[in-house]
Amino acid sequence: MTSPSGAPVEHALHPGAPNPFANSTRLRFDVASREHATLVVYDATGRELATLVDDTYLPGRYAVERDALGWAPGVYLVRLQIGDERMTRSLTLLR
């Protein structure tokens, strides 16, 4: 959801695209107010694999590409934390 000016009105983590994916996926997220954000990928056992984002962001829409080199096929969890809010999505890696 966006305001009339086009800025997001709430924080959001969008589904990865493509998902399932074979080599890389694009993760999009919205920041509604100036906040510190982290975007972390976990494997199915809960082990942290990669921190994709760890910075303060102004309101807007952002995206990050992630390749899966060295990752085994399976389901992964992506967690976005902005302030006190946490959002999680799953990704499926196919080979």
Side-chain angles (χ1 to χ4, degrees):
M1 179 183 278
T2 60
S3 70
S5 68
V9 295
E10 59 187 18
H11 304 309
L13 175 60
H14 301 280
N19 187 24
F21 69 105
N23 296 318
S24 68
T25 189
R26 182 182 182 107
L27 301 163
R28 295 180 307 112
F29 62 98
D30 297 344
V31 179
S33 59
R34 181 182 165 93
E35 294 275 358
H36 187 266
T38 58
L39 185 65
V40 181
V41 179
Y42 297 90
D43 67 13
T45 67
R47 183 178 56 138
E48 185 176 320
L49 293 181
T51 299
L52 307 179
V53 166
D54 187 6
D55 207 348
T56 300
Y57 286 82
L58 296 173
R61 297 199 157 160
Y62 299 91
V64 62
E65 285 279 329
R66 177 60 200 197
D67 68 50
L69 294 175
W71 292 5
V75 176
Y76 294 86
L77 298 177
V78 179
R79 186 183 75 194
L80 175 66
Q81 181 165 345
I82 301 176
D84 293 333
E85 281 188 70
R86 291 187 183 115
M87 293 147 264
T88 304
R89 296 271 186 184
S90 65
L91 293 173
T92 302
L93 173 60
L94 305 175
R95 292 279 185 210

